[in-house]
Amino acid sequence: MNPRKKLNDVRARRTTRNRAKIFGTAKQPRLAVSRSNRFIYAQLIDDEKSHTLVHASGKEVMKGGKALPKSQASKLVGELIAKRAVEKGIKSAVFDRRGYKYHGRVKALADGARAAGLKI
């Protein structure tokens, strides 16, 4: 069996287990994090309506053409999504790490969002 496939299956099981406990509303949406090898993505989701309220990605941060370390770009994405959330009147969110460890880029995104005023 492909070892990468096995890791993805394990992460999918962790995601399902975590999602049973996490639910976002319009007042306190779910901050879902997704990452690839190159970029990180974040979105605030209202699960009652199945609607994305705000989103941000590493692609937006990297548009200046300047290469940043991934953890620094993740922190900027967290700050960007928090800024957009505050503009829409969202003050707090439930953090959904989607099966990723709370470490490295995922932690940097959460710290950036907290620093910009979003309560997680």
Side-chain angles (χ1 to χ4, degrees):
M1 178 178 220
N2 183 355
R4 189 72 199 156
K5 186 173 182 183
K6 186 176 179 183
L7 285 175
N8 286 335
D9 290 342
V10 170
R11 191 179 67 78
R13 284 196 302 269
R14 278 196 310 254
T15 301
T16 305
R17 197 167 49 237
N18 289 337
R19 283 284 290 122
K21 303 168 192 169
I22 298 172
F23 190 79
T25 62
K27 194 172 185 179
Q28 189 175 22
R30 175 170 54 99
L31 175 58
V33 175
S34 180
R35 57 170 217 201
S36 66
N37 285 336
R38 193 167 172 199
F39 297 113
I40 192 159
Y41 308 89
Q43 54 185 342
L44 288 173
I45 302 169
D46 177 6
D47 288 320
E48 292 174 335
K49 296 180 182 176
S50 298
H51 184 71
T52 299
L53 305 172
V54 180
H55 65 89
S57 73
K59 291 179 182 180
E60 298 173 58
V61 174
M62 300 286 207
K63 271 198 175 167
K66 186 177 177 184
L68 296 172
K70 292 178 191 176
S71 58
Q72 187 177 356
S74 298
K75 185 172 182 171
L76 292 175
V77 169
E79 292 171 359
L80 180 62
I81 197 161
K83 186 183 99 176
R84 290 178 180 173
V86 170
E87 287 174 0
K88 285 207 167 197
I90 300 167
K91 296 176 184 164
S92 65
V94 179
F95 191 66
D96 180 12
R97 57 187 173 83
R98 301 224 5 229
Y100 300 112
K101 290 182 180 179
Y102 187 75
H103 179 270
R105 293 192 284 159
V106 175
K107 184 179 179 193
L109 189 141
D111 291 342
R114 283 189 196 102
L118 189 64
K119 185 180 176 189
I120 298 176

